[in-house]
Amino acid sequence: MSDKKVSRPCHRCKSTSASAPTDTSKIHYEKFWLYRHCSSVQQRDQQAQKAGQLFSGLLAMNVVFLGSAFISSMIFNKVAITLADVWILLSILKVLCLFWIIYYLLGTSRQPHAVLYRDSHAGAIWIRGSVLLFGSCSILLNVFQIGYSTILIHCKSRVEIVFPSIGILFICTQAYFLWHHSKDCIQVQHNFTRCGLMVTIATNLLLWLLAVTNDTLHVEIESQLREVERRFAGKAPSSHPHWCNETTLCTCPNMTICKVFQKGYILLYPFNTEYCLVCCSVLYVMWKNVGRRISHHHIPHTKPKFKLQGVVFGPLLGTSAVIIGACVFMMYQIQATSLVPSRQVFVIYYSYYIVLLPLMSVCAVIGTIIHALEKKELDTLKNPTRSLDVVLLMGAALGQIGMSYFSIVALVATDPRELLNSLALSYSVLLIFQNITQNVFVIDGLHRRRVTLPGKEEDTKEEQNREAYSQRRVSVLELGQEIRKASLSYIHTYSHLSWKRRVLREISFFLVLCNIILWVMPTFGAHPIFENGMERSFYGYSTWFVIVNFGLPLGVFYRMHSVGGLLEVYVTA
């Protein structure tokens, strides 16, 4: 009876809607069964999504707390909880993650209607490439660790061979999974997929935490390398007794092979922490995209392309900074890795940064002012990838900022008027300012809508002409004419850009090249903040080791992530 009563006013309203439109205001649509059913389905779907995210988040939190308790117990009580116990726990987590990834690849993703949408903003080529790069270096790191432990099998545990072997399999499988499925918005098995992603994120976080806090193998390798170098120098080994007490019982029979493994391990050590951080960021975006439905107006019809047009001074200045930085880096690597590092190489290294960092800060401030002067609309659409980019930029910057503040306290407390200390102090202060100004510029640029470049129609016609032209044979004279046309088109595009967008593109490209060289130098072994000995003598070896291994990977990740953000700002300018 209730359904009939509801349906009668509906028919009456239909018949009288043309003559008396005001009567439609008396219809109460919430009484319709279809409306109530659809709204309840939507509410249940939203509640189920929030409940799934909450449960998977709590699961990851418990896994992280359990692993952190193991690692902390190993640090403070090495008798009850050993490093082997931590490795066994992490190996179990890796095996569970491997089973879930294989199930996702072979089962979940192949179900009908499993991947109806793909997030075009997620899994950019530069971040997937960094997963492959850091993953390859992490595999080499594990190979060196296996080789080192195999040579010393008489005094090493078999767990030290099994753990990196499982790590190689885990890295390969996870890298393949992230390369092919980082854009997926999975529509089936929501809760199981969320839990699998969160356990994988927790495992990577624990691997990063272990790499940051565990300095046992690092100290052992450092002590043996110092001992070998002092033997070659003809000096007594007693000057470093705190490093050589335990390692004399476990020495390499073949020093040449051991030295290769040791040097390789020390060089590749930061890449493993980088790999864990990058994987966590990609997996988090996948977790946010589980069950997400992307509407058609969120899907870009044309992807913005990177074109080297409208920039002249940015590439020139940036290339100069890269070349000079490469020369400084090579000088540093040659001299700073010797037994007695030269004081001059630290002065050159810090001087390069002291010149470059203020220039980058000034460019970022100018770019932020131009953003404020522009009348460009803000992009307010929901975008999990962009939101994560902002969080990662702010979070990763804390690594360098934190190390800089620790360094400032140590330098001010010792002797800030000494030349090397004053250079290091200036470097730390300028690094903090540069991180803040660049973050403001990049985050402001990421929230700006993309505008159509002037001359875009001419570029499209030129591309069509090039495609048609490539299908026929050309002579040297015709090739020269095409080069002349391309040059004129470049000058035309550059001259028709507004001065604001021209400056933004110059600044963005310059900062991209600067961040690349600032990423390369610490990634491949230039760590003066650890090797100059000032902060290490102030805080102690173990404490400063934890601080550096916490801040250095975040700093490298920040430079790499800044390159992607600055390229986005360059394209949208």
Side-chain angles (χ1 to χ4, degrees):
M1 292 294 293
S2 61
D3 292 341
K4 291 180 181 179
K5 289 181 181 179
V6 171
S7 61
R8 284 172 188 169
C10 181
H11 290 297
R12 221 172 12 246
C13 293
K14 275 188 176 180
S15 61
T16 59
S17 59
S19 59
T22 56
D23 294 338
T24 57
S25 61
K26 299 179 181 180
I27 301 176
H28 300 287
Y29 288 102
E30 65 273 9
K31 293 182 179 179
F32 286 96
W33 175 86
L34 182 62
Y35 181 87
R36 291 200 314 269
H37 181 71
C38 292
S39 62
S40 62
V41 168
Q42 291 176 356
Q43 290 176 0
R44 284 200 300 267
D45 183 55
Q46 293 177 356
Q47 290 175 357
Q49 183 176 0
K50 292 180 180 178
Q53 291 179 348
L54 177 62
F55 179 78
S56 59
L58 290 173
L59 176 63
M61 184 182 68
N62 281 275
V63 173
V64 170
F65 281 158
L66 176 63
S68 301
F70 264 76
I71 295 173
S72 302
S73 301
M74 177 203 69
I75 295 173
F76 298 110
N77 191 349
K78 295 185 178 181
V79 178
I81 301 295
T82 62
L83 181 60
D85 297 327
V86 178
W87 280 345
I88 291 172
L89 174 65
L90 292 178
S91 298
I92 294 173
L93 291 175
K94 286 181 180 180
V95 171
L96 291 176
C97 294
L98 282 173
F99 283 141
W100 174 78
I101 292 174
I102 293 172
Y103 175 78
Y104 182 92
L105 295 175
L106 301 180
T108 305
S109 62
R110 296 189 179 185
Q111 289 189 11
H113 312 293
V115 186
L116 297 176
Y117 311 97
R118 291 176 67 84
D119 188 358
S120 60
H121 298 283
I125 186 64
W126 65 269
I127 197 166
R128 286 187 293 155
S130 62
V131 168
L132 293 184
L133 172 63
F134 295 143
S136 302
C137 295
S138 299
I139 291 172
L140 287 177
L141 176 70
N142 286 319
V143 169
F144 287 143
Q145 187 175 355
I146 292 172
Y148 181 76
S149 300
T150 303
I151 294 175
L152 300 175
I153 192 64
H154 61 280
C155 58
K156 294 284 186 179
S157 172
R158 296 187 183 274
V159 181
E160 300 187 33
I161 300 177
V162 175
F163 179 73
S165 302
I166 298 175
I168 292 174
L169 184 60
F170 175 72
I171 291 169
C172 294
T173 308
Q174 183 175 244
Y176 176 85
F177 166 67
L178 295 180
W179 178 265
H180 289 281
H181 297 276
S182 59
K183 296 178 179 291
D184 289 358
C185 297
I186 199 73
Q187 302 297 322
V188 296
Q189 299 180 357
H190 293 174
N191 292 331
F192 188 66
T193 304
R194 287 193 184 99
C195 292
L197 287 169
M198 269 299 168
V199 171
T200 311
I201 291 174
T203 304
N204 282 279
L205 282 176
L206 291 175
L207 290 171
W208 172 77
L209 181 62
L210 179 64
V212 167
T213 56
N214 179 34
D215 62 344
T216 53
L217 187 57
H218 206 88
V219 172
E220 179 181 328
I221 289 175
E222 283 284 342
S223 63
Q224 288 196 8
L225 288 175
R226 295 276 179 174
E227 180 69 17
V228 171
E229 289 174 349
R230 297 191 74 84
R231 285 179 185 175
F232 286 140
K235 296 181 180 181
S238 58
S239 58
H240 295 281
H242 59 287
W243 278 359
C244 302
N245 289 337
E246 298 179 359
T247 56
T248 53
L249 301 176
C250 192
T251 56
C252 269
N254 192 331
M255 286 299 177
T256 304
I257 299 177
C258 261
K259 195 168 185 179
V260 171
F261 288 147
Q262 291 167 347
K263 286 285 188 182
Y265 184 88
I266 292 175
L267 179 64
L268 296 173
Y269 193 80
F271 288 95
N272 187 34
T273 52
E274 282 299 310
Y275 174 76
C276 296
L277 291 175
V278 175
C279 289
C280 286
S281 64
V282 180
L283 289 166
Y284 177 78
V285 174
M286 291 185 65
W287 179 76
K288 293 288 288 184
N289 282 331
V290 171
R292 182 186 176 199
R293 296 178 178 88
I294 302 176
S295 57
H296 294 289
H297 65 274
H298 284 185
I299 302 175
H301 297 286
T302 56
K303 293 183 179 181
K305 296 181 179 180
F306 177 82
K307 293 182 179 179
L308 192 63
Q309 291 186 352
V311 287
V312 176
F313 301 104
L316 291 177
L317 292 175
T319 305
S320 302
V322 170
I323 294 174
I324 297 173
C327 296
V328 172
F329 173 70
M330 287 187 290
M331 290 176 57
Y332 181 87
Q333 285 296 96
I334 293 172
Q335 298 186 28
T337 55
S338 61
L339 183 62
V340 182
S342 173
R343 179 187 177 87
Q344 184 180 4
V345 71
F346 289 109
V347 174
I348 295 174
Y349 187 93
Y350 283 126
S351 300
Y352 171 74
Y353 269 83
I354 289 172
V355 172
L356 184 62
L357 291 176
L359 187 58
M360 294 174 65
S361 302
V362 170
C363 290
V365 171
I366 294 173
T368 305
I369 294 173
I370 293 175
H371 275 151
L373 295 176
E374 275 194 320
K375 302 286 185 175
K376 197 186 291 186
E377 295 182 1
L378 293 176
D379 189 1
T380 57
L381 293 176
K382 184 179 179 181
N383 190 339
T385 306
R386 183 178 59 200
S387 301
L388 181 63
D389 286 339
V390 173
V391 173
L392 290 179
L393 280 174
M394 299 296 292
L398 296 178
Q400 288 185 328
I401 293 175
M403 280 197 306
S404 298
Y405 276 117
F406 276 104
S407 181
I408 289 171
V409 171
L411 294 170
V412 171
T414 52
D415 187 10
R417 290 172 293 182
E418 198 265 336
L419 175 60
L420 193 57
N421 287 6
S422 60
L423 290 175
L425 183 62
S426 303
Y427 160 79
S428 299
V429 173
L430 292 172
L431 190 62
I432 294 172
F433 186 71
Q434 192 275 326
N435 276 265
I436 295 173
T437 54
Q438 182 171 276
N439 273 353
V440 174
F441 171 66
V442 175
I443 293 172
D444 196 10
L446 290 176
H447 287 83
R448 301 285 173 171
R449 287 187 181 272
R450 185 172 180 263
V451 296
T452 305
L453 288 173
K456 185 177 180 181
E457 297 179 356
E458 290 83 350
D459 293 342
T460 306
K461 292 179 180 179
E462 183 184 351
E463 290 177 359
Q464 294 176 353
N465 293 333
R466 287 180 182 176
E467 292 178 359
Y469 179 74
S470 61
Q471 296 176 358
R472 66 177 187 270
R473 300 174 65 182
V474 297
S475 63
V476 177
L477 180 61
E478 290 174 339
L479 182 61
Q481 292 176 352
E482 287 296 322
I483 294 175
R484 183 173 175 272
K485 289 179 182 179
S487 302
L488 291 175
S489 174
Y490 180 87
I491 297 172
H492 177 76
T493 303
Y494 182 77
S495 60
H496 280 73
L497 280 173
S498 67
W499 69 269
K500 295 177 184 177
R501 279 187 281 161
R502 191 186 306 172
V503 173
L504 282 177
R505 290 166 74 89
E506 299 280 8
I507 290 173
S508 301
F509 204 92
F510 170 71
L511 291 178
V512 164
L513 294 177
C514 290
N515 278 275
I516 288 175
I517 189 61
L518 295 185
W519 170 77
V520 169
M521 294 174 74
T523 300
F524 292 95
H527 307 142
I529 200 169
F530 188 77
E531 292 163 349
N532 60 19
M534 293 180 290
E535 296 90 347
R536 185 172 59 188
S537 60
F538 183 83
Y539 291 105
Y541 182 87
S542 297
T543 304
W544 189 239
F545 178 88
V546 173
I547 295 172
V548 171
N549 278 297
F550 178 82
L552 183 63
L554 287 176
V556 174
F557 181 77
Y558 172 76
R559 294 300 173 188
M560 181 194 65
H561 204 73
S562 297
V563 171
L566 288 165
L567 287 175
E568 184 72 20
V569 174
Y570 174 85
V571 170
T572 56

